[in-house]
Amino acid sequence: MANETDGNADRYGLHEPLADHQYDALVAAAAQQLGTPISTISIVEARRQWFKARIGLDVVETPIEESFCARVVEQDGVMVVPDATVDPRFHDYPNVTGGTGIRFYAGAPLTMRDGTRIGTICVIDTKPRDGLDAQEQATLVDLARRTVAAIEMRVDLRAAGRQPTERAQWLDQAGDHLMKAWVALDLLGATAELARLEQVIVEVDALRST
């Protein structure tokens, strides 16, 4: 939950600048596929949320009291706010009444493999929208899954890299190239190729445990 997450950024290496381009590509994909001017990967902590990646937004963090994403990590699925000005949970938030002027918001939780929810990937618009249809919600969930995979793989490969062996170094390089290819194919909408690449990633992950 939000009040238990202050150590997650260090635990998952989120303050490290490594491979930030992967997260930039994911928010770009979210904004493009869901047709919004703003998208972020938000990390939720006890007193603030900060953005690992963002597009269409100048600020780098906001107080937790003004966070839509803090509500998302309290649930399992996608949270959709068609018009924040008429939603009693958010209508008086400063980023609704002024500032960014948020109207539409949709976010999916970033749920790690141990069940910890560390934040969200979300899309935002300054105009109200009817919501997200089933396919659009599935797209956001898939992007959340890809974000989690990028974070988890980086953690695993960093751990493997602590072993001074040629094999561990190869796995680190292979994992980085695989994630770059994964994001590129996702942006192109190459579904079949993505499915095959995901299988390769699974196989590389299995090699690390042998």
Side-chain angles (χ1 to χ4, degrees), residues 16-119:
E16 297 177 4
L18 295 174
D20 276 3
H21 60 278
Q22 297 174 4
Y23 307 114
D24 292 338
L26 285 161
V27 294
Q32 179 183 33
Q33 294 180 34
L34 296 173
T36 62
I38 301 168
S39 177
T40 73
I41 293 173
S42 305
I43 308 303
V44 175
E45 297 183 346
R47 295 178 177 83
R48 64 168 185 155
Q49 71 170 8
W50 58 276
F51 306 122
K52 179 64 178 173
R54 66 191 191 281
I55 187 170
L57 196 64
D58 292 330
V59 298
V60 297
E61 65 176 69
T62 61
I64 202 66
E65 295 82 7
E66 302 174 15
S67 170
F68 286 68
C69 298
R71 300 288 187 123
V72 179
V73 299
E74 295 174 351
Q75 62 183 52
D76 292 326
V78 174
M79 184 180 82
V80 180
V81 181
D83 185 351
T85 64
V86 296
D87 191 310
R89 298 171 296 176
F90 308 112
H91 65 84
D92 59 352
Y93 277 18
N95 51 17
V96 174
T97 60
T100 306
I102 295 174
R103 295 297 178 266
F104 171 79
Y105 171 95
L110 303 179
T111 306
M112 312 309 285
R113 60 187 168 215
D114 66 357
T116 302
R117 300 188 197 110
I118 65 169

Side-chain angles (χ1 to χ4, degrees), residues 3 11 26 29 33 43 51 83 96 103 113 117 123 137 143 147 154-155 162 176:
N3 64 355
R11 177 183 178 189
L26 285 161
Q33 294 180 34
I43 308 303
F51 306 122
D83 185 351
V96 174
R103 295 297 178 266
R113 60 187 168 215
R117 300 188 197 110
V123 290
Q137 289 201 35
L143 288 166
T147 303
R154 177 56 57 182
V155 171
R162 295 194 184 106
D176 190 45

